[in-house]
Amino acid sequence: MAEIEGEKLAQITWDGRVLEVDDGGNLLTGALEAGIFVPHLCFHPALTTPAQCRLCAIEVREDDGESWRLTTACDARARQGMVVRTESETVRQARAAALQFQLARHPLECPSCDKTGECELQEFSFAYGGEAPYVLPEKSTAEVRDLGDHVAIDPGKCIHCTRCVRFCKEVTGTEELSMFDRGDRLEVATFPGSRLDNRLSGNTVDLCPAGALIDKRFRLQPAWRLRGVDSICPGCSTGCNIRVDVADEQVRRLKPRVNMDVNDYWMCDDGRHGWHYIHSPERLARPLVQGEERDLPGSGDVVASWEEACSALHAAFTECRSQGQQIGVILGGQMTNEEAYLLISLAQAWDSEWISLRDSVATEGDITFPNTGFTIRGDKAANGRGIQDVAAGLGENLRPLDQLLDAIQREVVGAAFVVGGGPGVRPGDAELRALGALGDRLAVLDIMQDELAALARVVLPGCSFAEKMGTMTNVDGRTQHLRMAVEPAPGCLSDIEVLKRVAASFEAPAAALGEAEAIFAELGRRVDASNAFSGLTYDQLPDSGTMARPATQAYGGGWSSLLQRRGFLPVEDHNKQPPIAGHRLADSD
Amino acid sequence: MLLKDIDIPDIDGVEAYLNHGGYQGAAKALAMAPRELVAEVEASGLRGRGGGWEPVAHKWRRLPQPATTRYLCVNAYDADPGLFRDRKLIERIPHRVLEGVIIAARAVDAHVAYLCVRGELASPATVINRAVSEAYAANWLGRDIAGSGFDLDVFVHPGGGAHIAAEETALLQGLGGGRPEPARGPSSHTLFGEPALVHNVGTLAYLPGILCAGAAEFRAVGTHSYPGTCVFCVSGHVRRPGLYELALGGVTLRQLVDEFAGGVLDGRALKAVIVGGTLSTVLQPQQLDVDLDPQKWAIPGAGPIDGAFGNGAVIVLDDTTCIVDTAIQMMRFYAGESCGQCAPCREGSSWILHLLQRLEEGAADADEVVLIESVARQLGPRLRPEQSTSLCGFGSAFAWTVQDLFNAFRAEFEAHATAGGCPWRDQKQPGFRVPDSVNVRF
């Protein structure tokens, strides 16, 4: 373990192993950092330690050098020369007792529980519980009730770890939840008249180590059916590290991954639930070339082949240029750096001087939780900074969108290639009005069948963030991997492939580019040394070495690695992935 | 020492108290440098009377240095089953308690003290409030006390009613506005972020006497390590229940029960004596010839264990008492009063209660009798206090009591299982009863 600057280390002995941990630091954190897994339920590295679950039991040798005292690691402080053991009968029994007490009244509804397969109580009971835990015939039978828009509680499954209560106090500062009553009547509830409606409420479900807190939109989908793909949330320019959970080639939910430099352990509810459009029947699924009757949205669409669509686009844009008008290009804020590189290269092939990025700023602005600094950005263009950097690297200055719209009105621009995207980066009314004036010379690369597609002559179906490979650069200049979690929707190609086919119809050089990784390398080669992407390749987007403390990594891998060891979670899926990306460009200087 | 003067008429008023030498200890303390004061109390060997028996001067010295503000908090809960000492002291001689507060505050340089009176104790709260007003009026509280330059404000705080709210750290949590739950870790002994000292009423009330008569006089009774007296609260099936102040180590438990408390009620035979409040020891009739000395206090079959002596509560049970019923009464109290934050205590208390009730009703078999003891042992083996699994001592306390009852009366538990319920169902007297807990949502 690397010495952390400015901190004193203490040498402790843990089951015969000598560890170096922060002197005076939390002993459980120290052990986890050193790669020793200690089971725990109420402890969470981002929260205070109430030492309530008693599961992280350890024995510490007393000063007499002979006797041992049973205590909990989470509220013990590391000190030089400390001797700890966990491989003792006393600790084994204490762990089993801690779990036994939790299980006595627990309604063992594991086969019908939303948490099954990723339940810490379940997993620890197998790993550390007694051989035949005693279960009372009388179960907790309280009914499931709503806590807020996204979260419900099954009180009978609550193990009273208070992680959710502490989260709402210490992280969001909103304090909707508290413990009420005492003894075996103790329960988690909202204060009278209050609802769990803070913008980070979904994290309480992630924090819940049992099945008490329920994601109301994720029911009865056992964890072992899910395949997790590490990616980036496209919801705003924070770029939260997420895992896209997939089953049957459908996205089922998003979960935050730990990255202390970006999102800590959290993601917001907007991002967490902002993916449902991916499997919407309103998705564009075929290239369309719209005919005369396109006044009625959707009607009169002519389903075209990719070749027909590209040639219609080619014809319209060639006509525009032959009349001395320019082609405008509007990029969407959820495009990857690679897609932006392709499209801007293509615009250069069209000799376009009118390249713009749609501003997508929410009126509410940034929402920051002061306790932790976690911010939901008002800037919904998740890759706005990356697109700016790519454009700069290619020698282009992106024009403000209103200037481009004005140029359309002035008929300087006579055609446009417009990229839409997911919710949050949709075109506004002004843009739609201006684009409407282009008539047959509007081509759109988009996801949803809505007003924008209805306006266009040529509609190219695009991919959502979950169907793409590429990179995005967040507001702090950190370039991170977006990974394909599901295949492009039926009828769709990857956006890179679509843009290359368009480029091919113009015989533009961009058509010869390879896949995302090759495009990124090309970008890195092509830009000059002052550019953020200079010299970068995927290999250089480092492993999660940017994470603030190794503890978080150990913790993040905590029970899931345990599940993997026990064969509950596929190990190979994660190992095949390139390492978690997080290259902070600003660090290079 | 403690109960001296409590029968003087009107001694609950400041006038009578001053006429009988009241506040002279405080006056002495205020004239001393805090360091001398700590040394004097250290010389007396006074230990805390809440059950922990920690030397008071150690506790004072342990306060973190330096601190801008320190708080003195007075525990006036009388929370343990069978304990009724502090409320009597407050009701009868409240100014002696306040005088003790002034002395302790002076010793640790605290200028704000909170008197935490259990919410249910309405009468003591009224008396202490009146006494505080009188003390302010007589300038024994407030600015520049008795011209000494020392300031002290005292606030009376009616605390949450749960038994567990009287645990030292829970008391501080509750006083600070949180849920009164025991806490561990570096901030657990703080109030509003500042170091806080918690003392029992029954500890502080010794201080005036020590200051007036001197440490040597205090040491004249009691043992070398445990000087002074202890007020025993004798209740249950005895002829003369009440408070008995006896020199520590001076008498045996049998003398206390038979001579002082008059022996078992109605001439019936003794069945058991439960000593020590929460940290109970269950003793059988043949085991009563033990000195009431914390140092020598031994668990039957195990020998001396630190802290097992408890706080002076003595509950006497006669031979008409059903032990299972007694265990139910106790566990009803513990299950009701557990704060619930840690799993062993929250689940263990209600689980044991549930099993005992099944046993009493005849629904339990011999396996469940074994299970009761096994649940209790999972909270902490009786003879291994260092192996307790609960967050605070409350969980191990009831687990130990249950194990003690099993050790002493195993046959009676087993008889309930084989007889299909309580064998004395029709003839028994009510066992030891504690008031039903008041269910306060906090």
Side-chain angles (χ1 to χ4, degrees), chain A residues 49-54 59 62 68-70 75 77 90 94 96-98 100-102 104-105 134 136-138 159-160 178-187, chain B residues 161-162 179 181 184 186 335-344 346-348 350-351 354-355 368 371 375 378-379 386-391 437-442:
Chain A
T49 51
Q52 288 165 343
C53 76
R54 318 305 294 166
E59 277 190 294
E62 301 275 31
W68 297 82
R69 185 173 44 85
L70 185 72
D75 65 343
R77 303 278 135 195
T90 304
Q100 164 67 84
F101 285 120
Q102 299 288 12
R105 281 190 303 150
Y134 185 87
L136 284 165
E138 291 81 6
I159 62 163
H160 310 88
S178 181
M179 304 306 289
F180 291 88
D181 217 324
R182 65 178 188 243
D184 64 352
R185 291 86 63 213
L186 189 71
E187 62 172 5
Chain B
R179 280 174 60 82
E181 289 176 339
R184 291 292 175 265
E337 301 298 294
S338 162
C339 78
Q341 64 168 328
C342 85
R346 175 183 69 242
E347 303 296 336
S350 61
W351 192 2
H354 172 86
L355 292 169
E368 281 187 35
L371 181 63
V375 175
Q378 289 186 56
L379 276 140
E386 75 284 5
Q387 290 183 6
S388 296
T389 56
S390 58
L391 188 148
S437 63
V438 176
N439 230 329
V440 182
R441 281 172 77 99
F442 52 72

XYZ file of all heavy atoms in Angstrom, chain A residues 49-54 59 62 68-70 75 77 90 94 96-98 100-102 104-105 134 136-138 159-160 178-187, chain B residues 161-162 179 181 184 186 335-344 346-348 350-351 354-355 368 371 375 378-379 386-391 437-442:
631
model
N -20.058 6.015 11.502
C -20.105 4.611 11.908
C -20.838 4.454 13.236
O -20.292 4.767 14.284
C -18.683 4.057 12.084
O -17.979 4.953 12.937
C -17.976 3.933 10.777
N -22.067 3.961 13.197
C -22.809 3.783 14.439
C -22.509 2.470 15.151
O -22.905 2.282 16.286
C -24.258 3.810 13.981
C -24.220 3.257 12.605
C -22.878 3.628 12.027
N -21.803 1.565 14.481
C -21.440 0.268 15.095
C -22.654 -0.512 15.571
O -22.660 -1.071 16.647
C -20.457 0.491 16.244
N -23.694 -0.519 14.779
C -24.953 -1.108 15.229
C -25.135 -2.565 14.838
O -25.802 -3.311 15.532
C -26.127 -0.293 14.650
C -26.257 1.055 15.319
C -27.136 1.996 14.550
O -27.415 1.811 13.381
N -27.583 3.036 15.216
N -24.572 -2.980 13.695
C -24.905 -4.332 13.232
C -24.067 -5.382 13.937
O -24.449 -6.536 13.992
C -24.738 -4.429 11.720
S -23.026 -4.528 11.169
N -22.934 -4.996 14.468
C -22.051 -5.868 15.256
C -21.415 -6.981 14.423
O -20.850 -7.916 14.982
C -22.782 -6.487 16.464
C -23.692 -5.546 17.209
C -23.036 -4.305 17.681
N -22.003 -4.479 18.697
C -21.134 -3.536 19.028
N -21.147 -2.360 18.418
N -20.223 -3.755 19.948
N -11.362 -9.552 17.377
C -10.791 -9.607 18.714
C -9.486 -8.828 18.715
O -8.652 -9.006 17.819
C -10.524 -11.054 19.142
C -11.756 -11.750 19.693
C -11.400 -13.081 20.311
O -10.973 -13.984 19.568
O -11.532 -13.212 21.530
N -5.434 -7.557 24.336
C -5.307 -6.573 25.413
C -3.829 -6.282 25.677
O -2.948 -7.023 25.237
C -5.956 -7.103 26.700
C -7.421 -7.432 26.550
C -8.317 -6.216 26.747
O -7.887 -5.088 26.418
O -9.444 -6.393 27.218
N -7.947 -11.461 25.095
C -8.500 -10.830 23.893
C -9.839 -10.225 24.217
O -10.614 -10.777 24.985
C -8.683 -11.877 22.782
C -7.405 -12.495 22.341
C -6.757 -13.515 22.956
C -6.621 -12.128 21.206
N -5.609 -13.823 22.273
C -5.505 -12.982 21.194
C -6.756 -11.173 20.197
C -4.525 -12.917 20.204
C -5.793 -11.089 19.221
C -4.679 -11.952 19.222
N -10.132 -9.098 23.614
C -11.408 -8.416 23.825
C -12.153 -8.357 22.502
O -11.617 -7.966 21.483
C -11.169 -7.005 24.361
C -12.418 -6.237 24.720
C -12.038 -4.916 25.411
N -10.930 -4.257 24.726
C -11.085 -3.459 23.672
N -12.271 -3.219 23.184
N -10.031 -2.910 23.089
N -13.408 -8.781 22.551
C -14.241 -8.747 21.355
C -14.733 -7.322 21.147
O -15.226 -6.686 22.075
C -15.440 -9.683 21.532
C -16.347 -9.865 20.326
C -15.654 -10.699 19.269
C -17.665 -10.518 20.731
N -15.667 0.778 14.754
C -15.492 1.896 15.676
C -14.206 1.771 16.491
O -14.046 2.412 17.516
C -16.719 2.101 16.581
C -16.952 0.927 17.524
O -16.379 -0.142 17.262
O -17.712 1.086 18.490
N -10.048 2.269 16.555
C -9.027 3.106 15.919
C -7.733 2.302 15.823
O -7.348 1.647 16.790
C -8.763 4.368 16.733
C -9.982 5.212 16.981
C -10.275 6.095 15.793
N -11.700 6.039 15.502
C -12.261 6.453 14.380
N -11.524 6.946 13.411
N -13.546 6.361 14.191
N -14.358 -17.268 18.892
C -15.167 -16.173 19.448
C -15.696 -15.272 18.334
O -16.866 -14.903 18.318
C -14.318 -15.343 20.429
O -13.795 -16.227 21.422
C -15.137 -14.272 21.085
N -19.440 -14.667 17.138
C -20.018 -13.323 17.214
C -20.638 -12.931 15.872
O -21.713 -12.337 15.814
C -18.940 -12.311 17.614
N -21.740 -15.033 13.599
C -22.932 -15.868 13.410
C -24.083 -15.337 14.256
O -25.230 -15.316 13.808
C -22.612 -17.313 13.776
N -23.762 -14.862 15.484
C -24.812 -14.330 16.358
C -25.399 -13.062 15.752
O -26.616 -12.876 15.712
C -24.243 -14.050 17.750
N -24.532 -12.182 15.255
C -25.024 -10.932 14.666
C -25.986 -11.230 13.536
O -27.017 -10.563 13.385
C -23.845 -10.083 14.179
N -27.595 -14.180 13.080
C -28.736 -14.909 13.623
C -29.794 -13.946 14.148
O -30.982 -14.096 13.891
C -28.251 -15.860 14.728
C -29.332 -16.389 15.627
C -30.293 -17.321 14.908
O -30.042 -18.501 14.759
N -31.406 -16.776 14.439
N -29.363 -12.922 14.867
C -30.335 -11.970 15.412
C -31.068 -11.249 14.282
O -32.256 -10.958 14.381
C -29.641 -10.978 16.350
C -29.281 -11.576 17.683
C -27.968 -11.636 18.114
C -30.274 -12.101 18.497
C -27.646 -12.208 19.329
C -29.962 -12.673 19.726
C -28.642 -12.726 20.143
N -30.359 -10.942 13.213
C -31.030 -10.269 12.095
C -32.045 -11.192 11.428
O -33.066 -10.750 10.914
C -30.004 -9.815 11.041
C -28.972 -8.835 11.538
C -29.519 -7.443 11.786
O -30.731 -7.223 11.791
N -28.622 -6.490 12.002
N -33.750 -13.755 12.784
C -34.773 -14.397 13.603
C -36.180 -14.013 13.162
O -37.049 -14.858 13.011
C -34.556 -14.049 15.071
N -36.410 -12.734 12.937
C -37.748 -12.298 12.553
C -37.836 -11.949 11.074
O -38.866 -11.491 10.593
C -38.147 -11.066 13.363
C -38.616 -11.349 14.766
C -39.199 -10.097 15.374
N -38.221 -8.997 15.359
C -38.547 -7.713 15.265
N -39.789 -7.349 15.174
N -37.603 -6.787 15.264
N -31.713 -20.208 13.568
C -33.058 -20.400 14.086
C -33.955 -19.289 13.555
O -33.573 -18.128 13.519
C -33.037 -20.372 15.610
C -34.381 -20.686 16.208
C -34.760 -21.992 16.443
C -35.287 -19.668 16.499
C -35.992 -22.293 16.969
C -36.527 -19.963 17.025
C -36.871 -21.279 17.260
O -38.100 -21.567 17.768
N -37.782 -17.644 13.848
C -39.027 -17.630 14.605
C -40.210 -17.881 13.680
O -40.211 -17.429 12.532
C -39.208 -16.268 15.279
C -38.361 -16.024 16.518
C -38.366 -14.549 16.860
C -38.891 -16.826 17.676
N -41.216 -18.611 14.177
C -42.382 -18.824 13.319
C -43.125 -17.525 13.029
O -43.719 -17.372 11.964
C -43.255 -19.790 14.127
C -42.717 -19.779 15.511
C -41.314 -19.318 15.459
N -43.067 -16.578 13.970
C -43.745 -15.304 13.729
C -42.808 -14.371 12.979
O -41.708 -14.101 13.428
C -44.167 -14.644 15.050
C -45.276 -15.373 15.765
C -44.762 -16.560 16.568
O -43.528 -16.740 16.663
O -45.598 -17.326 17.080
N -33.121 -4.206 8.478
C -32.234 -4.687 9.542
C -31.727 -3.526 10.397
O -30.798 -3.670 11.172
C -31.057 -5.499 8.975
C -30.201 -4.622 8.069
C -31.558 -6.717 8.216
C -28.839 -5.225 7.813
N -32.335 -2.349 10.218
C -32.068 -1.201 11.085
C -30.609 -0.785 11.085
O -30.061 -0.399 12.118
C -32.535 -1.495 12.514
C -33.934 -2.017 12.572
N -34.229 -3.350 12.477
C -35.114 -1.388 12.649
C -35.532 -3.518 12.523
N -36.103 -2.339 12.609
N -35.909 9.025 9.483
C -35.376 8.860 10.827
C -35.765 7.476 11.327
O -36.564 6.785 10.704
C -35.943 9.939 11.760
O -35.396 9.765 13.067
N -35.170 7.100 12.448
C -35.627 5.907 13.137
C -36.728 6.358 14.091
O -36.613 7.401 14.731
C -34.492 5.264 13.932
C -33.262 4.917 13.119
S -33.590 3.895 11.697
C -33.984 2.323 12.477
N -37.766 5.562 14.187
C -38.842 5.876 15.109
C -39.039 4.713 16.080
O -38.781 3.563 15.727
C -40.147 6.136 14.351
C -40.103 7.419 13.560
C -39.617 7.438 12.265
C -40.524 8.605 14.137
C -39.560 8.621 11.551
C -40.467 9.790 13.423
C -39.982 9.797 12.126
N -39.550 5.054 17.265
C -39.824 4.080 18.313
C -38.529 3.399 18.766
O -37.437 3.868 18.444
C -40.858 3.056 17.838
C -41.798 2.659 18.969
O -41.313 2.570 20.120
O -42.982 2.450 18.717
N -38.646 2.313 19.501
C -37.437 1.675 20.021
C -37.654 0.174 20.173
O -38.748 -0.334 19.922
C -37.030 2.326 21.344
C -38.025 2.111 22.461
C -37.502 2.769 23.743
N -38.327 2.432 24.875
C -39.018 3.317 25.581
N -39.005 4.588 25.245
N -39.731 2.927 26.628
N -36.585 -0.492 20.607
C -36.668 -1.946 20.781
C -37.050 -2.616 19.476
O -36.663 -2.179 18.397
N -37.849 -3.686 19.586
C -38.200 -4.400 18.355
C -39.302 -3.680 17.583
O -39.747 -4.160 16.545
C -38.585 -5.848 18.648
C -39.832 -5.954 19.505
O -40.322 -4.913 19.994
O -40.317 -7.090 19.683
N -39.765 -2.527 18.086
C -40.710 -1.704 17.318
C -39.964 -0.671 16.469
O -40.592 0.134 15.773
C -41.677 -0.968 18.251
C -42.686 -1.830 18.974
C -42.112 -2.387 20.259
N -41.749 -1.370 21.237
C -40.714 -1.493 22.083
N -39.939 -2.564 22.052
N -40.440 -0.537 22.936
N -38.654 -0.646 16.594
C -37.857 0.346 15.863
C -38.128 0.254 14.367
O -38.202 -0.832 13.800
C -36.373 0.048 16.111
C -35.363 1.067 15.619
C -35.421 2.319 16.476
C -33.957 0.479 15.674
N -38.312 1.414 13.725
C -38.537 1.355 12.284
C -38.019 2.609 11.601
O -37.913 3.673 12.200
C -40.018 1.161 11.974
C -40.892 2.285 12.451
C -42.329 2.167 11.968
O -42.657 1.159 11.338
O -43.109 3.089 12.230
N -38.091 9.015 28.315
C -38.417 8.070 29.379
C -37.768 6.718 29.291
O -37.815 5.954 30.234
N -37.159 6.380 28.156
C -36.621 5.026 28.033
C -35.517 4.789 29.043
O -34.715 5.678 29.326
C -36.083 4.799 26.622
N -31.641 11.146 19.040
C -32.297 10.015 19.691
C -31.417 9.565 20.845
O -30.209 9.409 20.672
C -32.434 8.844 18.699
C -33.574 8.961 17.731
C -33.532 7.843 16.715
N -33.632 6.509 17.302
C -34.773 5.923 17.660
N -35.908 6.542 17.477
N -34.792 4.723 18.177
N -29.689 7.278 22.226
C -29.143 5.937 21.995
C -27.683 5.934 22.400
O -26.968 6.898 22.132
C -29.222 5.586 20.499
C -30.619 5.340 20.001
C -30.664 5.086 18.503
O -29.698 5.487 17.811
O -31.654 4.511 18.042
N -20.755 5.034 20.527
C -19.372 4.663 20.793
C -18.499 5.532 19.894
O -18.976 6.147 18.965
C -19.141 3.187 20.490
C -19.856 2.270 21.492
C -19.216 2.389 22.888
N -19.910 1.627 23.901
C -20.841 2.127 24.716
N -21.211 3.404 24.596
N -21.408 1.394 25.637
N -15.125 8.405 19.320
C -14.519 9.576 19.945
C -15.511 10.669 20.340
O -15.274 11.391 21.297
C -13.539 10.088 18.880
C -13.847 9.349 17.627
C -14.621 8.123 17.980
N -37.053 -5.713 26.912
C -37.487 -5.658 25.516
C -38.169 -4.320 25.232
O -38.058 -3.761 24.148
C -38.434 -6.811 25.204
N -38.872 -3.819 26.245
C -39.542 -2.538 26.059
C -38.572 -1.375 26.035
O -38.804 -0.375 25.364
N -37.479 -1.492 26.771
C -36.598 -0.351 26.961
C -35.358 -0.354 26.073
O -34.639 0.633 26.024
C -36.148 -0.291 28.430
C -37.295 -0.181 29.413
C -38.103 1.088 29.217
O -37.561 2.170 29.453
O -39.272 0.995 28.800
N -35.097 -1.443 25.384
C -33.947 -1.466 24.475
C -34.112 -0.360 23.441
O -35.213 -0.130 22.943
C -33.894 -2.823 23.760
O -33.080 -2.722 22.610
N -33.025 0.330 23.117
C -33.160 1.389 22.116
C -33.370 0.779 20.745
O -33.920 1.402 19.861
C -31.952 2.317 22.133
S -30.486 1.673 21.321
N -32.893 -0.437 20.550
C -33.158 -1.130 19.291
C -32.114 -0.925 18.230
O -32.201 -1.524 17.163
N -31.108 -0.087 18.487
C -30.185 0.192 17.388
C -29.293 -0.994 17.040
O -28.964 -1.195 15.880
C -29.348 1.442 17.658
C -28.424 1.325 18.846
C -27.421 2.468 18.894
O -27.011 2.975 17.873
N -27.051 2.880 20.089
N -28.895 -1.786 18.007
C -28.037 -2.915 17.647
C -28.828 -4.214 17.678
O -29.694 -4.421 18.530
C -26.770 -2.972 18.498
S -26.923 -3.792 20.078
N -28.532 -5.041 16.708
C -29.337 -6.231 16.472
C -29.379 -7.193 17.662
O -30.448 -7.701 18.005
C -28.845 -6.942 15.218
N -28.251 -7.490 18.305
C -28.317 -8.484 19.378
C -29.317 -8.098 20.460
O -30.117 -8.922 20.907
C -26.883 -8.501 19.925
C -26.040 -8.065 18.781
C -26.857 -7.042 18.045
N -31.783 -5.617 20.316
C -33.134 -5.394 19.799
C -33.868 -6.724 19.597
O -34.979 -6.919 20.084
C -33.048 -4.642 18.463
C -34.396 -4.472 17.774
C -34.241 -3.787 16.414
N -33.571 -4.633 15.442
C -32.416 -4.354 14.858
N -31.766 -3.256 15.155
N -31.883 -5.186 13.983
N -33.229 -7.619 18.891
C -33.886 -8.883 18.561
C -33.806 -9.857 19.726
O -34.755 -10.587 19.999
C -33.251 -9.503 17.314
C -33.270 -8.585 16.085
C -34.670 -8.255 15.602
O -35.609 -9.039 15.882
O -34.835 -7.194 14.961
N -32.648 -9.863 20.400
C -32.457 -10.822 21.485
C -33.436 -10.610 22.618
O -33.997 -11.568 23.158
N -36.501 -9.225 22.646
C -37.884 -9.613 22.353
C -37.979 -11.114 22.076
O -38.996 -11.746 22.352
C -38.425 -8.812 21.171
O -37.671 -9.058 20.014
N -36.912 -11.659 21.576
C -36.882 -13.098 21.285
C -36.935 -13.913 22.582
O -37.727 -14.839 22.740
C -35.609 -13.390 20.484
C -35.521 -14.734 19.854
C -36.458 -15.735 19.879
C -34.428 -15.220 19.085
N -35.999 -16.810 19.169
C -34.767 -16.525 18.671
C -33.197 -14.685 18.711
C -33.907 -17.304 17.903
C -32.339 -15.449 17.930
C -32.691 -16.740 17.530
N -40.301 -13.585 24.126
C -41.254 -14.403 23.390
C -41.137 -15.876 23.790
O -42.141 -16.550 24.050
C -40.965 -14.205 21.902
C -41.713 -15.117 20.989
N -42.981 -14.822 20.547
C -41.382 -16.302 20.435
C -43.402 -15.799 19.770
N -42.456 -16.711 19.672
N -39.913 -16.350 23.893
C -39.707 -17.757 24.262
C -40.148 -18.027 25.700
O -40.748 -19.062 26.000
C -38.230 -18.135 24.078
C -37.733 -18.169 22.629
C -36.215 -18.294 22.600
C -38.371 -19.320 21.863
N -36.779 -25.594 23.442
C -36.878 -24.138 23.526
C -36.248 -23.609 24.806
O -35.755 -22.485 24.834
C -38.336 -23.682 23.400
C -38.786 -23.695 21.950
C -40.162 -23.087 21.722
O -40.519 -22.116 22.417
O -40.870 -23.599 20.846
N -32.879 -23.251 23.944
C -32.728 -22.123 23.023
C -32.659 -20.790 23.773
O -31.865 -19.916 23.428
C -33.899 -22.113 22.029
C -33.885 -21.011 20.978
C -32.673 -21.134 20.074
C -35.162 -21.050 20.152
N -29.747 -18.190 23.189
C -29.901 -16.807 22.705
C -29.182 -15.862 23.655
O -28.442 -14.963 23.231
C -31.395 -16.425 22.588
C -31.535 -14.958 22.207
C -32.096 -17.298 21.557
N -25.568 -15.904 23.171
C -25.089 -15.222 21.956
C -24.944 -13.727 22.162
O -24.240 -13.053 21.423
C -26.040 -15.494 20.789
C -25.958 -16.932 20.308
C -26.792 -17.153 19.066
O -26.624 -16.482 18.073
N -27.696 -18.101 19.134
N -25.659 -13.183 23.147
C -25.465 -11.773 23.472
C -24.187 -11.565 24.260
O -23.635 -10.474 24.278
C -26.648 -11.263 24.290
C -27.830 -10.827 23.431
C -29.136 -11.248 24.056
C -27.793 -9.342 23.219
N -15.869 -9.725 28.253
C -15.126 -9.172 27.118
C -15.626 -9.763 25.795
O -15.143 -9.397 24.737
C -13.616 -9.402 27.301
C -13.119 -10.822 27.057
C -13.430 -11.779 28.202
O -14.117 -11.381 29.156
O -12.984 -12.939 28.132
N -16.596 -10.676 25.860
C -17.100 -11.269 24.620
C -18.546 -10.864 24.311
O -19.236 -11.530 23.552
C -17.013 -12.797 24.681
C -15.579 -13.289 24.641
C -15.487 -14.793 24.622
O -16.479 -15.485 24.534
N -14.266 -15.300 24.700
N -18.983 -9.760 24.889
C -20.349 -9.309 24.622
C -20.486 -8.857 23.181
O -19.581 -8.258 22.623
C -20.705 -8.144 25.538
O -20.704 -8.587 26.859
N -21.640 -9.146 22.594
C -21.816 -8.765 21.192
C -22.642 -7.494 21.032
O -22.705 -6.954 19.950
C -22.493 -9.890 20.393
O -23.725 -10.215 21.017
C -21.614 -11.122 20.319
N -23.304 -7.039 22.075
C -24.148 -5.853 21.909
C -23.305 -4.591 21.964
O -22.160 -4.603 22.402
C -25.226 -5.813 22.992
O -24.616 -5.808 24.258
N -23.919 -3.500 21.492
C -23.174 -2.243 21.396
C -22.854 -1.690 22.778
O -21.744 -1.252 23.034
C -23.984 -1.234 20.575
C -23.290 0.075 20.207
C -23.799 0.564 18.878
C -23.491 1.157 21.243
N -43.151 -0.182 30.778
C -42.446 0.973 30.239
C -43.452 1.915 29.597
O -44.477 1.507 29.094
C -41.433 0.521 29.206
O -42.109 -0.089 28.150
N -43.131 3.167 29.657
C -43.967 4.146 28.971
C -43.441 4.244 27.560
O -42.258 4.499 27.338
C -43.893 5.512 29.673
C -44.677 6.539 28.895
C -44.436 5.371 31.080
N -44.301 4.005 26.630
C -43.846 3.921 25.261
C -43.782 5.290 24.625
O -44.769 5.814 24.149
C -44.808 3.044 24.474
C -44.050 2.011 23.707
O -42.922 2.271 23.299
N -44.642 0.857 23.518
N -42.633 5.860 24.647
C -42.488 7.188 24.061
C -41.838 7.041 22.703
O -40.825 6.367 22.567
C -41.597 8.085 24.950
C -41.481 9.464 24.364
C -42.185 8.152 26.347
N -42.427 7.597 21.694
C -41.759 7.620 20.386
C -40.796 8.775 20.397
O -41.190 9.906 20.608
C -42.792 7.823 19.264
C -43.545 6.590 18.901
C -44.635 6.958 17.950
N -44.094 7.177 16.612
C -44.139 6.277 15.653
N -44.679 5.108 15.864
N -43.647 6.545 14.471
N -39.535 8.470 20.221
C -38.596 9.591 20.178
C -37.812 9.543 18.914
O -37.912 8.590 18.158
C -37.676 9.599 21.378
C -36.966 8.306 21.651
C -35.943 7.875 20.815
C -37.318 7.509 22.715
C -35.294 6.681 21.069
C -36.669 6.324 22.977
C -35.660 5.901 22.149
